[in-house]
C-alpha cells in the first residue's frame, strides 16, 4: 500500500452530536470528501469508486472535489495517510529514535522499534487491504494507479525501502549482525504483517494472536536471526 514520509497527521476527535438550539458545526469540504471517499472505497472498492460518486456523497460538485485533490489516486493516498494507522511517518522517524549515529542505544532498542513497526504495519495492512484489493480486478486501472503513485512518490515499496534503510544504519552502528541483509529482513517483517492481513480477510479469521502478540513474536523471531553473535 502507498505511503509517504509526510509528518503524521493529527487524528480527528469525534464531534459531539448536535443538541436542540445548538448550531451544528460545518464540516469543511475537504473533510467531507475524505469521509465519503473512505466510505465508498471500503464498501465498493477502489476500482468501482468514481470521483463523481465521491463528490455526490460529500455534497459537493465534482469540480469542487478537484479543487482539493487531483484525482482518485491522490484521494486514495490521502485516505491511507489520514484515516488509517500511519505507517510511513513511524518508519521515517526510526533514525531519529536511534539516539543519533554515535549515541548509545538502550538494551533491546532495535527489537522494540521493530515491534512498533510490526504493530503499525499489521493494523495498516488489515485496514487498507479491503480498499485496494479491487484494483487487481482491472489491469488498466491498476496500471494508471501505479503510474499516478509513482508521480507522487508513493507506493508499497516505500515502507520496505525505509525499513531497510533503518536496518542498514543499525548494522553500520554494530547493533545487528554485520552480515545481516537489511532488504531481506525488511521484507520478512512487513511480508509477515501483510500475510496476516490477507489471511484474516480471505479466510475470515477472527481469532488467534492479537496484533500486539503477533508483532512481538514476529519482531523477536526476526531479531534472533539478525542479532550480533
Amino acid at each position: 500500500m502507498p505511503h509517504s514520509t509526510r509528518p503524521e497527521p493529527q487524528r480527528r476527535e469525534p464531534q459531539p452530536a448536535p443538541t436542540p438550539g445548538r448550531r451544528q458545526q460545518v464540516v469543511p469540504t475537504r473533510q467531507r470528501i475524505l469521509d465519503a471517499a473512505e466510505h465508498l472505497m471500503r464498501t465498493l472498492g477502489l476500482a468501482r469508486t468514481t470521483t463523481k460518486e465521491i463528490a455526490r456523497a460529500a455534497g459537493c460538485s465534482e469540480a469542487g472535489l478537484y479543487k482539493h485533490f487531483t484525482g482518485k489516486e491522490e484521494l486514495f493516498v490521502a485516505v491511507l495517510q489520514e484515516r488509517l494507522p500511519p505507517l510511513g511517518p513511524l518508519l521515517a522517524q526510526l533514525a531519529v529514535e536511534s539516539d543519533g549515529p554515535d549515541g548509545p542505544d538502550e538494551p533491546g532498542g532495535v527489537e522494540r522499534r521493530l515491534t512498533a513497526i510490526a504493530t503499525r504495519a499489521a493494523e495498516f495492512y488489515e485496514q487498507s487491504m479491503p480498499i485496494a484489493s479491487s484494483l487487481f480486478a482491472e489491469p488498466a486501472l491498476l496500471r494508471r494507479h501505479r503510474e499516478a503513485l509513482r508521480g507522487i512518490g508513493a507506493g508499497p515499496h516505500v515502507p520496505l525501502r525505509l525499513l531497510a534503510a533503518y536496518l542498514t544504519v543499525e548494522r553500520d552502528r554494530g547493533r545487528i549482525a554485520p552480515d545481516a541483509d537489511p532488504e531481506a529482513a525488511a521484507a520478512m517483517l512487513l511480508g509477515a504483517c501483510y500475510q496476516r492481513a490477507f489471511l484474516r480477510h480471505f479466510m475470515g479469521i477472527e481469532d488467534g494472536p492479537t496484533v500486539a502478540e503477533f508483532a512481538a513474536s514476529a519482531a523477536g523471531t526476526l531479531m534472533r536471526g539478525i542479532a550480533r553473535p
Side-chain angles (χ1 to χ4, degrees):
M1 297 300 100
H3 311 281
S4 78
T5 58
R6 298 174 185 171
E8 183 170 331
Q10 296 294 321
R11 311 305 295 170
R12 294 183 298 111
E13 296 296 331
Q15 297 297 319
T19 56
R22 178 180 176 180
R23 180 179 298 176
Q24 187 172 1
Q25 183 177 0
V26 177
V27 179
T29 302
R30 186 182 185 278
Q31 182 175 319
R32 297 202 317 271
I33 293 171
L34 275 177
D35 289 340
E38 180 185 9
H39 173 73
L40 291 171
M41 288 176 184
R42 284 187 183 279
T43 56
L44 298 181
L46 182 61
R48 294 178 58 193
T49 299
T50 66
T51 53
K52 182 178 294 186
E53 290 171 327
I54 295 171
R56 184 185 303 114
C60 68
S61 66
E62 194 170 8
L65 181 149
Y66 281 108
K67 291 180 180 179
H68 297 274
F69 301 97
T70 58
K72 188 165 68 173
E73 285 76 17
E74 187 180 1
L75 257 171
F76 174 52
V77 173
V79 167
L80 295 182
Q81 290 176 338
E82 300 182 33
R83 299 304 169 86
L84 301 186
L87 178 58
L90 180 58
L91 284 161
Q93 291 299 316
L94 280 176
V96 176
E97 288 189 11
S98 298
D99 302 324
D102 302 313
D105 190 32
E106 73 278 14
V110 177
E111 184 172 340
R112 176 183 61 80
R113 285 187 281 275
L114 291 179
T115 300
I117 289 298
T119 300
R120 189 69 60 84
E123 294 171 342
F124 178 87
Y125 289 135
E126 186 163 350
Q127 293 187 38
S128 64
M129 189 171 290
I131 297 176
S133 60
S134 63
L135 271 175
F136 296 96
E138 297 190 27
L141 178 60
L142 176 60
R143 183 171 56 253
R144 294 197 304 272
H145 185 70
R146 184 188 302 126
E147 293 170 353
L149 290 180
R150 285 174 179 165
I152 59 177
H157 63 291
V158 174
L160 281 169
R161 186 187 68 211
L162 292 172
L163 182 53
Y166 161 70
L167 290 171
T168 298
V169 171
E170 295 290 33
R171 184 187 62 184
D172 293 344
R173 294 172 184 170
R175 294 173 181 168
I176 62 177
D179 60 349
D181 185 332
E183 288 76 16
M188 287 177 187
L189 187 64
L190 295 184
C193 296
Y194 188 87
Q195 184 192 49
R196 178 183 185 273
F198 173 78
L199 290 176
R200 289 177 71 83
H201 282 293
F202 191 87
M203 300 302 297
I205 297 174
E206 298 181 357
D207 55 0
T210 65
V211 169
E213 292 168 342
F214 162 81
S217 179
T221 300
L222 177 63
M223 197 64 207
R224 285 191 289 275
I226 63 174
R228 295 184 62 184

